[in-house]
Amino acid sequence: MADGGAGAYREFKALAEAADRKFARARDLPLYGGGDHHSRKAFKAYTRLWRLQQERRRELVAAGLRRWEIGEVASRIGQLYYARYLRAAEPRSLVGAYVFYEAIYSRGYFGAAAAAVGTDGGGGGVSRHQALLIRYKELRFIARFLVVAMLMRRAEAVDHLAARLRALVEETKAAYPKTNFKEWKQVLQELGRFLKADGAYKGSRSLRYDNLFDSYPSNLVSIARFHSKRVLKLKEAVLTSYRRNEIKFTELTLDTFRMLQCLEWEPTGSYQIAAKELTENGTVSDQSGPSGLIDIQLSTEISDGSLPSNPQKAIIYHPTAAHLLAVLATICEELSQDSILLIYISASGSAEQSFASQKFGSSSSRARAASAFPTDKPNSHNSSDNHLWLGPRGSGGPNNLYPDDLIPFTRYPLFLVIDSENSHAFKAGHT
C-alpha cells in the first residue's frame, strides 16, 4: 500500500508539472485570434490530474498530498473555464468556473494550510514561509472568484467574498508584520470603488438581454426586411477602456464590465450546482476531509437553442494605439462575411483632460456614449480634439488614436461605439 501510494504521488506530481506547463502556455496567449488548442490541451491535462486524485485520493493523502494542492488544481480548472467563457462567450463555462470556485471556497482548501503551520496535521505541516505563499494563492483565488460572482450577478456572494478578502488581508498583515501588503491594499481600494459604482444595479434585472423583455424572435421579420440578401450577425466584439483613475477591479474596468454583459443573452434555463464528496462505498463523506471530488451537474437548459449565440469578445486592458489596431487586424483576418464587428472604446480626448465625471460612475452611462450619432455641432471642435488618448500621462503622439486609423476596418460590417468627450471626431463623413 505504501509503495502504491508513493507511486501514485509521483504520478500526480509528474502530471501536475506537465499540466502546469500547458496552463502557462494557454494563459500567456491572448483570448482572440486562435490559441484554442492550447486551452484544450491544458483542460485535458487538468481533467486527467483531477480524475487521478479522485480515484486514488486515499493513497495520495497518505503519501503526502495536501489540501491546498487539491485546491490549486481545482483553481486552475476554474481559471480555464473562465478563459473559455471569455474566448467563446459560453454561459455554461462561466457557471463551471463558479462551481469550482465555490467548492474551493466552501471547503477551505487554502485556508487549512494557515492552521497547519509547524504541525503535522490535516493540511500537512508547512513552514511559515510556505504558509505565506499559500495565503497569497488564497488571496488571488478570492479575487478571481469575485470577478466570476460579479459577472453572474450573485450579489450576496460578492458582498460575502469582498468582506472575506478584506478580513484575510488584515489577518495576513497581522500574522506577517514585516511583509509589504501595499499591492493588496490597492486591490481593496479598487474593489471598494468598483462595488460602490456598481451598487446601483443591485436588485435590478441583469444588464444582459432577456428574452422575457427583449424578444428576439419578434424582431426577426424587421431584421430580414433590411437585409433581404445578406443577414448579418454580431459575431465579434472588441471592448477596451483607457482612462486615468478609472474604476476597475483587477484588469476589468467598469465600462468593459457593463458592455460585456450588454452583449450577452440571459440564459432562460436553470442550473444546479452540486458539490459533494463521496467515499468508495458511495456514501457522503465529511466535507472537512482531504478528498477532492467536485461533482458538476449543469442543466442542459443553460444553453438555450432558441436564442442566438453570444458574440465572442476580446477585452483589452489599457492598450496602446498600435496594440489595439493589431488586435483589430487579427480579428478581422478571421471574420466571416456574415459577421458584424463591434468596437467599443472608452477613452479621453487628451492626456490633460480631468476625470471629474468618473466620480459619478462609469462614463458609459452618459448619453454621449453613442458617438456614432453625436449631438455636437459640426463646427464645435478644432484639430486638437480629433483623437482619443490611449496612453499613460506624459507620453507622446503615438498614443493618439485618430478616426483615420479605423478606416481600413470599415471594409467589414462595423458597429463603432466611442465613449469620449471627443466622440464627435468619429462621426461618419466628418473627417
Side-chain angles (χ1 to χ4, degrees), residues 255-427:
D255 287 339
T256 54
F257 172 72
R258 290 178 176 172
M259 282 297 297
L260 173 66
Q261 296 174 84
C262 289
L263 294 175
E264 294 186 346
W265 286 88
E266 185 74 10
T268 60
S270 61
Y271 58 86
Q272 296 179 347
I273 297 175
K276 53 188 177 182
E277 300 182 273
L278 305 177
T279 61
E280 291 180 354
N281 61 9
T283 59
V284 179
S285 69
D286 183 1
Q287 291 280 331
S288 62
S291 67
L293 179 58
I294 299 177
D295 182 22
I296 301 180
Q297 294 182 354
L298 301 179
S299 168
T300 56
E301 294 179 358
I302 191 67
S303 181
D304 193 333
S306 66
L307 294 177
S309 58
N310 294 324
Q312 297 186 31
K313 294 171 284 292
I315 302 174
I316 315 170
Y317 176 71
H318 281 192
T320 62
H323 181 205
L324 176 60
L325 295 175
V327 170
L328 292 174
T330 301
I331 291 176
C332 285
E333 190 74 20
E334 301 179 356
L335 206 62
S336 60
Q337 293 184 351
D338 64 340
S339 298
I340 299 175
L341 172 63
L342 182 145
I343 303 175
Y344 171 81
I345 306 174
S346 175
S348 294
S350 71
E352 292 77 22
Q353 287 167 344
S354 67
F355 286 82
S357 60
Q358 288 290 324
K359 64 175 133 183
F360 299 106
S362 170
S363 59
S364 63
S365 63
R366 300 195 300 269
R368 60 189 171 194
S371 62
F373 305 97
T375 57
D376 303 54
K377 294 181 179 179
N379 297 324
S380 62
H381 64 282
N382 52 50
S383 59
S384 65
D385 61 356
N386 64 344
H387 63 269
L388 302 180
W389 180 265
L390 301 179
R393 182 183 304 179
S395 52
N399 289 317
N400 292 348
L401 181 71
Y402 295 93
D404 291 351
D405 295 330
L406 300 179
I407 288 178
F409 306 108
T410 59
R411 293 186 176 95
Y412 305 89
L414 182 67
F415 191 96
L416 182 63
V417 180
I418 303 296
D419 188 355
S420 174
E421 55 281 339
N422 282 358
S423 60
H424 53 73
F426 289 77
K427 180 179 179 181

Side-chain angles (χ1 to χ4, degrees), residues 77-298:
I77 295 174
Q79 291 180 65
L80 290 170
Y81 266 121
Y82 179 63
R84 178 183 290 180
Y85 161 72
L86 292 179
R87 185 183 294 277
E90 295 176 352
R92 181 185 295 271
S93 297
L94 185 64
V95 174
Y98 188 93
V99 168
F100 271 85
Y101 286 163
E102 193 277 335
I104 296 167
Y105 183 79
S106 63
R107 298 171 192 181
Y109 280 124
F110 292 111
V117 177
T119 72
D120 295 323
V126 296
S127 67
R128 185 175 176 83
H129 175 68
Q130 188 179 27
L132 178 60
L133 296 180
I134 297 171
R135 178 55 57 85
Y136 280 134
K137 291 178 184 291
E138 184 176 10
L139 290 169
R140 290 192 292 269
F141 154 71
I142 293 178
R144 289 191 291 266
F145 191 6
L146 266 165
V147 173
V148 172
M150 289 174 185
L151 286 169
M152 292 190 67
R153 308 306 295 181
R154 295 294 187 94
E156 292 184 4
V158 169
D159 291 341
H160 178 80
L161 289 169
R164 177 56 183 159
L165 184 63
R166 295 187 186 97
L168 200 60
V169 170
E170 293 301 320
E171 178 185 323
T172 310
K173 286 169 60 179
Y176 302 89
K178 295 183 180 180
T179 305
N180 187 353
F181 285 92
K182 182 179 179 180
E183 178 184 355
W184 283 103
K185 181 179 179 181
Q186 182 178 352
V187 169
L188 292 178
Q189 291 174 346
E190 291 180 353
L191 176 61
R193 291 180 64 204
F194 194 101
L195 294 181
K196 183 179 180 180
D198 196 48
Y201 287 88
K202 282 187 177 181
S204 62
R205 78 179 182 92
S206 174
L207 293 174
R208 293 178 173 88
Y209 286 97
D210 193 320
N211 71 335
L212 297 177
F213 302 96
D214 311 286
S215 180
Y216 174 75
S218 64
N219 293 331
L220 285 176
V221 176
S222 59
I223 293 175
R225 185 170 62 249
F226 288 105
H227 301 283
S228 57
K229 296 183 178 180
R230 186 182 181 189
V231 178
L232 301 177
K233 299 178 181 179
L234 179 59
K235 294 288 189 66
E236 298 278 354
V238 176
L239 313 178
T240 187
S241 176
Y242 203 140
R243 295 178 179 270
R244 281 180 285 146
N245 304 323
E246 63 187 334
I247 297 173
K248 72 179 187 70
F249 181 60
T250 61
E251 292 190 350
L252 188 64
T253 68
L254 189 62
D255 287 339
T256 54
F257 172 72
R258 290 178 176 172
M259 282 297 297
L260 173 66
Q261 296 174 84
C262 289
L263 294 175
E264 294 186 346
W265 286 88
E266 185 74 10
T268 60
S270 61
Y271 58 86
Q272 296 179 347
I273 297 175
K276 53 188 177 182
E277 300 182 273
L278 305 177
T279 61
E280 291 180 354
N281 61 9
T283 59
V284 179
S285 69
D286 183 1
Q287 291 280 331
S288 62
S291 67
L293 179 58
I294 299 177
D295 182 22
I296 301 180
Q297 294 182 354
L298 301 179

